[in-house]
Amino acid sequence: MDGARLAASRPARALAAALLSLALLSACGGSGREAASGAPSRTGTPVATPSGTSSGTSSGTPQDPTTPASAPPPASGTGTAAPRPVRAAVYFLHDGKLSAAPRTVTGPATAAAALRALLAGPNGVERGHDRATAIPSGTALRSLAVRDRVATVDLSGRYDDAPGASADARLAQVVFTATRFPGVERVRFRVDGRPAAGLGPAAGGRPLGRGDFEDLSPAVLVESPLLGDTVTAPLRVHGTANTFEAEFRLRVSDGSGRAVADVRVAATSGSGTRGTFDVTVPYRATGGTGPGTLTAYVLSAEDGHRVVLDTVPLTLAR
């Protein structure tokens, strides 16, 4: 009896095994069709990039706060951006007032590079045009960090050697050079890793901005063009000014001293409040390319003579 039941159950088990095998084959066949169809998996699927936007970069990504706005973007498609030359400016002294001079530095740490260029002092051409520095020779940049639009600049001990009357000037040179960069509005000073103690307004670690050095800023500070630039007509000139009723004049002269342009300029504010200006000056020069000078001046209320406020030696391209 038991043998008969065992024999009868064998066909049933065989049928169940056959049905299970068929189901497994059907499932494998479905997977094979999906793979053969060529449909890509979700991982690694290319994403369309809108025109004018780099792939993988958000349009709202903030710019490096220590990179000038004119700096070119890093090359796309590479893991690391190659160092690139960036035009910057450093600030020396001309007749006791701040004056900008051009420098080409290499990114990405462009603000630090500009400060190192400042610490190196004026070159021979700049010294020939009476540009000087109040920063002691041998001063080195130890570190630079930017947070909340404040740059913390740590300089070597040479920086505060016998500051005397030049303390404000050497502070102003660093402040103006650093705040030339977008994202930097003020500078906090450290010397050999400690808060600056013997440097006047920098004592106690208070961050300083350009407004703290109005007495060292010329009445008209030309920020562009810069000393030695080669320019063409029309000439764009921009900077800041603090003159009576916000008015002054810009004169372009050639190598012989002959005026090739002389225009009236009105800044956004004046009479005790520093404003900005941005003007285009047409000029007509004769002969070949040669030296020239951009002069900012006002007319004396007493006798009408020119009172020079700033001069920028240039090369005029014809």
Side-chain angles (χ1 to χ4, degrees):
M1 185 71 174
D2 291 339
R5 282 197 299 269
L6 181 61
S9 66
R10 286 174 182 165
R13 287 198 299 269
L15 178 60
L19 291 173
L20 178 60
S21 298
L22 182 61
L24 291 172
L25 286 172
S26 176
C28 291
S31 297
R33 284 192 298 272
E34 184 177 352
S37 69
S41 65
R42 293 185 182 274
T43 303
T45 302
V47 178
T49 303
S51 175
T53 304
S54 299
S55 177
T57 303
S58 168
S59 61
T61 301
Q63 187 179 10
D64 176 358
T66 60
T67 302
S70 60
S76 60
T78 59
T80 303
R84 60 194 187 277
V86 172
R87 179 176 166 86
V90 296
Y91 289 76
F92 297 122
L93 301 172
H94 181 219
D95 293 335
K97 301 291 185 180
L98 292 159
S99 178
R103 287 294 185 273
T104 299
V105 298
T106 301
T110 50
L115 287 174
R116 290 189 181 97
L118 169 69
L119 300 179
N123 59 33
V125 172
E126 292 155 354
R127 289 193 298 271
H129 288 292
D130 300 321
R131 268 54 177 182
T133 183
I135 298 173
S137 175
T139 299
L141 177 67
R142 289 166 46 90
S143 67
L144 168 67
V146 179
R147 182 176 181 180
D148 296 331
R149 307 183 77 82
V150 175
T152 298
V153 177
D154 189 0
L155 299 162
S156 65
R158 286 282 294 157
Y159 187 69
D160 66 354
D161 282 357
S166 70
D168 283 4
R170 68 181 68 173
L171 292 170
Q173 287 183 249
V174 172
V175 167
F176 273 66
T177 298
T179 56
R180 175 89 176 197
F181 290 84
V184 179
E185 292 182 352
R186 294 178 296 162
V187 176
R188 178 182 290 111
F189 287 85
R190 299 180 71 85
V191 176
D192 281 340
R194 298 183 297 274
L199 289 172
R206 181 175 73 88
L208 304 175
R210 290 192 172 200
D212 292 297
F213 302 100
E214 183 61 29
D215 59 333
L216 287 168
S217 302
V220 176
L221 175 60
V222 175
E223 302 267 19
S224 180
L226 299 177
L227 189 153
D229 279 352
T230 297
V231 300
T232 58
L235 173 60
R236 182 188 175 195
V237 185
H238 63 84
T240 66
N242 184 1
T243 59
F244 179 67
E245 294 184 343
E247 294 187 358
F248 62 96
R249 299 190 70 86
L250 288 174
R251 172 188 171 98
V252 180
S253 55
D254 61 19
S256 68
R258 182 179 66 91
V260 296
D262 195 316
V263 298
R264 172 185 169 274
V265 180
T268 56
S269 59
S271 298
T273 301
R274 184 162 291 269
T276 61
F277 66 91
D278 190 342
V279 297
T280 299
V281 181
Y283 70 86
R284 184 184 297 275
T286 59
T289 297
T293 304
L294 173 67
T295 302
Y297 71 95
V298 293
L299 296 175
S300 168
E302 295 181 0
D303 56 14
H305 79 277
R306 287 198 300 269
V307 178
V308 175
L309 305 175
D310 197 11
T311 59
V312 182
L314 301 170
T315 296
L316 304 182
R318 272 61 169 192

